[in-house]
Each structure stands twice: as C-alpha cells, then as structure tokens.
Short mmCIF file of all heavy atoms in Angstrom, two decimals:
data_model
loop_
_atom_site.label_atom_id
_atom_site.label_comp_id
_atom_site.label_asym_id
_atom_site.label_seq_id
_atom_site.Cartn_x
_atom_site.Cartn_y
_atom_site.Cartn_z
N GLY A 5 114.72 -2.16 -26.30
CA GLY A 5 115.89 -2.93 -26.76
C GLY A 5 115.59 -4.34 -27.19
O GLY A 5 116.47 -5.06 -27.63
N SER A 6 114.32 -4.78 -27.05
CA SER A 6 113.99 -6.15 -27.43
C SER A 6 112.48 -6.30 -27.63
O SER A 6 111.77 -5.32 -27.84
CB SER A 6 114.50 -7.11 -26.35
OG SER A 6 114.41 -8.45 -26.83
N TYR A 7 111.99 -7.55 -27.59
CA TYR A 7 110.56 -7.85 -27.70
C TYR A 7 110.31 -9.25 -27.16
O TYR A 7 111.26 -10.01 -26.94
CB TYR A 7 110.11 -7.76 -29.17
CG TYR A 7 110.62 -8.90 -30.03
CD1 TYR A 7 109.86 -10.04 -30.25
CD2 TYR A 7 111.88 -8.84 -30.63
CE1 TYR A 7 110.34 -11.09 -31.03
CE2 TYR A 7 112.37 -9.87 -31.40
CZ TYR A 7 111.59 -11.00 -31.61
OH TYR A 7 112.07 -12.04 -32.36
N TYR A 8 109.05 -9.59 -26.92
CA TYR A 8 108.72 -10.97 -26.59
C TYR A 8 107.38 -11.33 -27.25
O TYR A 8 106.66 -10.45 -27.72
CB TYR A 8 108.69 -11.24 -25.08
CG TYR A 8 107.67 -10.46 -24.28
CD1 TYR A 8 106.40 -10.97 -24.04
CD2 TYR A 8 107.98 -9.23 -23.72
CE1 TYR A 8 105.47 -10.27 -23.28
CE2 TYR A 8 107.06 -8.52 -22.97
CZ TYR A 8 105.80 -9.05 -22.75
OH TYR A 8 104.88 -8.35 -22.02
N CYS A 9 107.10 -12.63 -27.34
CA CYS A 9 105.89 -13.10 -28.01
C CYS A 9 104.90 -13.58 -26.95
O CYS A 9 105.27 -14.33 -26.06
CB CYS A 9 106.23 -14.25 -28.95
SG CYS A 9 107.40 -13.80 -30.24
N LYS A 10 103.67 -13.13 -27.06
CA LYS A 10 102.63 -13.46 -26.09
C LYS A 10 101.45 -14.06 -26.83
O LYS A 10 101.24 -13.77 -28.00
CB LYS A 10 102.21 -12.16 -25.40
CG LYS A 10 101.56 -12.36 -24.06
CD LYS A 10 101.29 -11.04 -23.38
CE LYS A 10 100.62 -11.34 -22.06
NZ LYS A 10 100.30 -10.23 -21.26
N CYS A 11 100.68 -14.90 -26.15
CA CYS A 11 99.49 -15.47 -26.79
C CYS A 11 98.54 -14.37 -27.23
O CYS A 11 98.43 -13.34 -26.56
CB CYS A 11 98.75 -16.40 -25.82
SG CYS A 11 99.61 -17.95 -25.49
N GLN A 12 97.85 -14.59 -28.35
CA GLN A 12 96.84 -13.64 -28.82
C GLN A 12 95.77 -13.48 -27.76
O GLN A 12 95.56 -14.38 -26.95
CB GLN A 12 96.18 -14.16 -30.11
CG GLN A 12 97.12 -14.36 -31.28
CD GLN A 12 97.47 -13.06 -31.99
OE1 GLN A 12 97.16 -11.97 -31.53
NE2 GLN A 12 98.14 -13.17 -33.12
N LEU A 13 95.05 -12.36 -27.77
CA LEU A 13 93.94 -12.17 -26.85
C LEU A 13 92.92 -13.27 -27.08
O LEU A 13 92.65 -13.64 -28.23
CB LEU A 13 93.29 -10.79 -27.07
CG LEU A 13 94.17 -9.60 -26.66
CD1 LEU A 13 93.60 -8.31 -27.19
CD2 LEU A 13 94.35 -9.54 -25.16
N GLY A 14 92.38 -13.82 -26.00
CA GLY A 14 91.41 -14.92 -26.13
C GLY A 14 92.07 -16.28 -26.08
O GLY A 14 91.40 -17.31 -26.17
N TYR A 15 93.41 -16.28 -25.96
CA TYR A 15 94.17 -17.53 -25.85
C TYR A 15 95.06 -17.47 -24.62
O TYR A 15 95.44 -16.40 -24.17
CB TYR A 15 95.05 -17.77 -27.09
CG TYR A 15 94.26 -18.03 -28.35
CD1 TYR A 15 93.77 -16.98 -29.11
CD2 TYR A 15 94.01 -19.33 -28.76
CE1 TYR A 15 93.03 -17.21 -30.26
CE2 TYR A 15 93.27 -19.57 -29.92
CZ TYR A 15 92.79 -18.51 -30.66
OH TYR A 15 92.07 -18.75 -31.81
N GLU A 16 95.40 -18.64 -24.06
CA GLU A 16 96.33 -18.67 -22.92
C GLU A 16 97.36 -19.77 -23.14
O GLU A 16 97.11 -20.74 -23.85
CB GLU A 16 95.58 -18.88 -21.60
CG GLU A 16 94.83 -20.19 -21.50
CD GLU A 16 94.02 -20.32 -20.22
OE1 GLU A 16 94.25 -19.55 -19.28
OE2 GLU A 16 93.17 -21.22 -20.17
N LEU A 17 98.54 -19.59 -22.55
CA LEU A 17 99.62 -20.55 -22.70
C LEU A 17 99.37 -21.75 -21.80
O LEU A 17 99.15 -21.60 -20.61
CB LEU A 17 100.95 -19.89 -22.34
CG LEU A 17 102.20 -20.61 -22.86
CD1 LEU A 17 102.28 -20.48 -24.37
CD2 LEU A 17 103.44 -20.02 -22.24
N LYS A 18 99.37 -22.94 -22.40
CA LYS A 18 99.14 -24.17 -21.63
C LYS A 18 100.19 -25.20 -22.03
O LYS A 18 100.66 -25.22 -23.16
CB LYS A 18 97.74 -24.72 -21.89
CG LYS A 18 96.66 -23.98 -21.13
CD LYS A 18 95.44 -24.83 -20.95
CE LYS A 18 94.50 -24.18 -19.96
NZ LYS A 18 93.13 -24.64 -20.09
N TYR A 19 100.51 -26.06 -21.06
CA TYR A 19 101.47 -27.14 -21.31
C TYR A 19 100.68 -28.37 -21.70
O TYR A 19 100.00 -28.98 -20.87
CB TYR A 19 102.29 -27.38 -20.03
CG TYR A 19 103.48 -28.29 -20.23
CD1 TYR A 19 104.57 -27.87 -20.98
CD2 TYR A 19 103.52 -29.56 -19.68
CE1 TYR A 19 105.67 -28.68 -21.16
CE2 TYR A 19 104.62 -30.39 -19.84
CZ TYR A 19 105.69 -29.95 -20.59
OH TYR A 19 106.78 -30.76 -20.77
N ILE A 20 100.72 -28.72 -22.98
CA ILE A 20 99.94 -29.86 -23.47
C ILE A 20 100.84 -30.81 -24.24
O ILE A 20 101.61 -30.39 -25.09
CB ILE A 20 98.76 -29.37 -24.36
CG1 ILE A 20 97.77 -28.58 -23.49
CG2 ILE A 20 98.05 -30.53 -25.04
CD1 ILE A 20 96.73 -27.83 -24.27
N SER A 21 100.73 -32.07 -23.92
CA SER A 21 101.52 -33.17 -24.52
C SER A 21 102.98 -32.77 -24.77
O SER A 21 103.48 -32.83 -25.88
CB SER A 21 100.85 -33.73 -25.78
OG SER A 21 100.62 -32.72 -26.73
N GLY A 22 103.63 -32.34 -23.67
CA GLY A 22 105.07 -32.11 -23.69
C GLY A 22 105.53 -30.78 -24.27
O GLY A 22 106.72 -30.55 -24.41
N ARG A 23 104.61 -29.89 -24.64
CA ARG A 23 105.06 -28.59 -25.12
C ARG A 23 104.05 -27.50 -24.77
O ARG A 23 102.89 -27.76 -24.51
CB ARG A 23 105.35 -28.61 -26.62
CG ARG A 23 104.15 -28.79 -27.50
CD ARG A 23 104.57 -29.02 -28.95
NE ARG A 23 103.47 -28.75 -29.85
CZ ARG A 23 103.32 -27.62 -30.52
NH1 ARG A 23 104.21 -26.67 -30.40
NH2 ARG A 23 102.30 -27.44 -31.31
N TYR A 24 104.54 -26.26 -24.79
CA TYR A 24 103.68 -25.11 -24.50
C TYR A 24 102.99 -24.65 -25.76
O TYR A 24 103.61 -24.59 -26.82
CB TYR A 24 104.50 -23.96 -23.90
CG TYR A 24 104.96 -24.26 -22.50
CD1 TYR A 24 106.27 -24.62 -22.23
CD2 TYR A 24 104.06 -24.21 -21.44
CE1 TYR A 24 106.68 -24.91 -20.94
CE2 TYR A 24 104.46 -24.49 -20.15
CZ TYR A 24 105.77 -24.84 -19.90
OH TYR A 24 106.16 -25.13 -18.62
N ASP A 25 101.71 -24.38 -25.64
CA ASP A 25 100.96 -23.93 -26.80
C ASP A 25 99.90 -22.92 -26.37
O ASP A 25 99.45 -22.93 -25.23
CB ASP A 25 100.29 -25.12 -27.49
CG ASP A 25 100.16 -24.91 -28.99
OD1 ASP A 25 100.56 -23.84 -29.47
OD2 ASP A 25 99.64 -25.82 -29.66
N CYS A 26 99.51 -22.04 -27.30
CA CYS A 26 98.44 -21.08 -27.00
C CYS A 26 97.11 -21.76 -27.30
O CYS A 26 96.86 -22.19 -28.42
CB CYS A 26 98.60 -19.83 -27.85
SG CYS A 26 100.06 -18.87 -27.39
N VAL A 27 96.29 -21.87 -26.27
CA VAL A 27 95.02 -22.59 -26.37
C VAL A 27 93.86 -21.61 -26.17
O VAL A 27 93.96 -20.70 -25.34
CB VAL A 27 94.97 -23.72 -25.31
CG1 VAL A 27 93.66 -24.47 -25.36
CG2 VAL A 27 96.14 -24.68 -25.51
N ASP A 28 92.78 -21.82 -26.92
CA ASP A 28 91.60 -20.97 -26.81
C ASP A 28 91.06 -20.96 -25.39
O ASP A 28 90.97 -22.00 -24.74
CB ASP A 28 90.53 -21.49 -27.78
CG ASP A 28 89.20 -20.78 -27.59
OD1 ASP A 28 89.18 -19.55 -27.68
OD2 ASP A 28 88.19 -21.47 -27.32
N VAL A 29 90.71 -19.78 -24.90
CA VAL A 29 90.08 -19.64 -23.58
C VAL A 29 88.58 -19.77 -23.80
O VAL A 29 88.02 -19.07 -24.64
CB VAL A 29 90.39 -18.26 -22.95
CG1 VAL A 29 89.61 -18.05 -21.66
CG2 VAL A 29 91.88 -18.11 -22.70
N ASN A 30 87.94 -20.68 -23.07
CA ASN A 30 86.48 -20.82 -23.18
C ASN A 30 85.84 -19.83 -22.21
O ASN A 30 85.67 -20.10 -21.03
CB ASN A 30 86.05 -22.25 -22.88
CG ASN A 30 84.56 -22.46 -23.14
OD1 ASN A 30 83.76 -21.54 -23.11
ND2 ASN A 30 84.19 -23.71 -23.39
N GLU A 31 85.51 -18.64 -22.72
CA GLU A 31 84.97 -17.56 -21.88
C GLU A 31 83.65 -17.96 -21.23
O GLU A 31 83.30 -17.44 -20.17
CB GLU A 31 84.77 -16.28 -22.70
CG GLU A 31 86.05 -15.62 -23.18
CD GLU A 31 86.60 -16.20 -24.48
OE1 GLU A 31 85.99 -17.16 -25.03
OE2 GLU A 31 87.64 -15.71 -24.93
N CYS A 32 82.91 -18.89 -21.87
CA CYS A 32 81.62 -19.33 -21.32
C CYS A 32 81.82 -20.15 -20.05
O CYS A 32 81.03 -20.07 -19.11
CB CYS A 32 80.86 -20.15 -22.35
SG CYS A 32 80.63 -19.25 -23.91
N VAL A 33 82.90 -20.91 -20.00
CA VAL A 33 83.21 -21.75 -18.83
C VAL A 33 83.90 -20.93 -17.76
O VAL A 33 83.59 -21.03 -16.57
CB VAL A 33 84.09 -22.97 -19.25
CG1 VAL A 33 84.55 -23.75 -18.03
CG2 VAL A 33 83.32 -23.87 -20.20
N THR A 34 84.85 -20.06 -18.16
CA THR A 34 85.61 -19.27 -17.18
C THR A 34 84.78 -18.07 -16.67
O THR A 34 85.22 -17.36 -15.78
CB THR A 34 86.92 -18.73 -17.78
OG1 THR A 34 86.61 -17.96 -18.95
CG2 THR A 34 87.87 -19.86 -18.15
N ASN A 35 83.57 -17.90 -17.25
CA ASN A 35 82.66 -16.83 -16.85
C ASN A 35 83.25 -15.44 -17.06
O ASN A 35 83.00 -14.52 -16.29
CB ASN A 35 82.23 -17.02 -15.39
CG ASN A 35 80.72 -16.85 -15.25
OD1 ASN A 35 80.01 -16.64 -16.24
ND2 ASN A 35 80.24 -16.94 -14.03
N THR A 36 84.06 -15.28 -18.11
CA THR A 36 84.66 -13.98 -18.40
C THR A 36 83.92 -13.30 -19.56
O THR A 36 84.38 -12.31 -20.09
CB THR A 36 86.16 -14.12 -18.74
OG1 THR A 36 86.31 -15.16 -19.70
CG2 THR A 36 86.99 -14.43 -17.51
N HIS A 37 82.75 -13.86 -19.93
CA HIS A 37 81.94 -13.23 -20.99
C HIS A 37 81.10 -12.12 -20.37
O HIS A 37 80.98 -12.01 -19.16
CB HIS A 37 81.05 -14.28 -21.66
CG HIS A 37 80.08 -14.92 -20.72
ND1 HIS A 37 78.87 -14.33 -20.41
CD2 HIS A 37 80.15 -16.06 -19.98
CE1 HIS A 37 78.22 -15.08 -19.55
NE2 HIS A 37 78.98 -16.14 -19.26
N ARG A 38 80.50 -11.30 -21.25
CA ARG A 38 79.66 -10.21 -20.77
C ARG A 38 78.25 -10.36 -21.34
O ARG A 38 77.57 -9.38 -21.62
CB ARG A 38 80.26 -8.86 -21.17
CG ARG A 38 81.65 -8.62 -20.61
CD ARG A 38 82.29 -7.34 -21.15
NE ARG A 38 82.28 -7.22 -22.61
CZ ARG A 38 83.11 -7.87 -23.41
NH1 ARG A 38 84.02 -8.70 -22.92
NH2 ARG A 38 83.03 -7.71 -24.73
N CYS A 39 77.83 -11.60 -21.53
CA CYS A 39 76.51 -11.85 -22.10
C CYS A 39 75.42 -11.47 -21.10
O CYS A 39 75.62 -11.53 -19.89
CB CYS A 39 76.35 -13.33 -22.46
SG CYS A 39 77.45 -13.90 -23.76
N SER A 40 74.26 -11.12 -21.65
CA SER A 40 73.09 -10.79 -20.84
C SER A 40 72.66 -12.04 -20.07
O SER A 40 72.92 -13.17 -20.49
CB SER A 40 71.96 -10.33 -21.77
OG SER A 40 70.71 -10.46 -21.14
N LEU A 41 71.98 -11.82 -18.96
CA LEU A 41 71.44 -12.95 -18.17
C LEU A 41 70.43 -13.73 -19.01
O LEU A 41 70.19 -14.91 -18.78
CB LEU A 41 70.75 -12.43 -16.90
CG LEU A 41 71.67 -11.95 -15.78
CD1 LEU A 41 70.89 -11.23 -14.70
CD2 LEU A 41 72.43 -13.14 -15.17
N HIS A 42 69.82 -13.06 -20.00
CA HIS A 42 68.81 -13.68 -20.85
C HIS A 42 69.41 -14.12 -22.18
O HIS A 42 68.72 -14.14 -23.20
CB HIS A 42 67.65 -12.71 -21.09
CG HIS A 42 67.06 -12.19 -19.81
ND1 HIS A 42 66.39 -13.00 -18.93
CD2 HIS A 42 67.08 -10.94 -19.25
CE1 HIS A 42 66.01 -12.28 -17.88
NE2 HIS A 42 66.42 -11.03 -18.05
N ALA A 43 70.73 -14.43 -22.17
CA ALA A 43 71.40 -14.86 -23.40
C ALA A 43 72.23 -16.10 -23.14
O ALA A 43 72.60 -16.39 -22.01
CB ALA A 43 72.29 -13.74 -23.94
N GLU A 44 72.48 -16.83 -24.23
CA GLU A 44 73.35 -18.00 -24.17
C GLU A 44 74.74 -17.56 -24.62
O GLU A 44 74.88 -16.77 -25.55
CB GLU A 44 72.87 -19.05 -25.17
CG GLU A 44 71.89 -20.05 -24.66
CD GLU A 44 71.48 -20.97 -25.80
OE1 GLU A 44 72.23 -21.93 -26.06
OE2 GLU A 44 70.45 -20.69 -26.44
N CYS A 45 75.77 -18.10 -23.96
CA CYS A 45 77.15 -17.82 -24.36
C CYS A 45 77.63 -18.95 -25.26
O CYS A 45 77.46 -20.13 -24.93
CB CYS A 45 78.03 -17.72 -23.11
SG CYS A 45 79.78 -17.51 -23.49
N LEU A 46 78.20 -18.59 -26.40
CA LEU A 46 78.73 -19.60 -27.35
C LEU A 46 80.21 -19.33 -27.52
O LEU A 46 80.61 -18.24 -27.96
CB LEU A 46 78.01 -19.50 -28.70
CG LEU A 46 76.47 -19.56 -28.67
CD1 LEU A 46 75.89 -19.03 -29.95
CD2 LEU A 46 76.01 -20.99 -28.43
N ASN A 47 81.04 -20.32 -27.18
CA ASN A 47 82.49 -20.14 -27.32
C ASN A 47 82.89 -20.22 -28.78
O ASN A 47 82.38 -21.02 -29.55
CB ASN A 47 83.22 -21.21 -26.50
CG ASN A 47 84.71 -20.96 -26.48
OD1 ASN A 47 85.17 -19.87 -26.17
ND2 ASN A 47 85.50 -21.96 -26.83
N THR A 48 83.85 -19.34 -29.18
CA THR A 48 84.42 -19.40 -30.53
C THR A 48 85.94 -19.39 -30.37
O THR A 48 86.45 -19.11 -29.28
CB THR A 48 83.99 -18.17 -31.37
OG1 THR A 48 84.50 -17.00 -30.74
CG2 THR A 48 82.50 -18.07 -31.52
#
C-alpha cells in the first residue's frame, strides 16, 4: 500500500549540518570489506 526511500547500498543516513543525508560508508575503516590479508583496501 505504500513505499519508503532508503539510502543506496554503500551509504548510510547521517545527521550533518542540520539535515539528514546519505553519506558514503568507508568500508576500509568500518572493516566491512572482504579484501585479502595481502591486499590494500581503497574506499570509493
């Protein structure tokens, strides 16, 4: 009967300078990447 809007995958809702916005998730910092132990993680 309805719908809602959600941040795209790889983004999260954050409250920045007085409003909510979808901000990129830095998977390298949050450790949610699946890179090899012998690889560097580069956020995009």
Side-chain angles (χ1 to χ4, degrees):
S6 191
Y7 71 94
Y8 62 91
C9 300
K10 202 175 179 179
C11 288
Q12 299 281 9
L13 291 167
Y15 293 84
E16 62 184 345
L17 198 69
K18 282 203 168 158
Y19 190 69
I20 294 168
S21 56
R23 67 189 199 100
Y24 289 104
D25 211 359
C26 292
V27 179
D28 172 56
V29 173
N30 186 336
E31 292 84 359
C32 304
V33 173
T34 57
N35 227 2
T36 49
H37 62 83
R38 299 174 308 283
C39 295
S40 159
L41 285 169
H42 306 294
E44 269 178 83
C45 175
L46 307 162
N47 187 51
T48 62

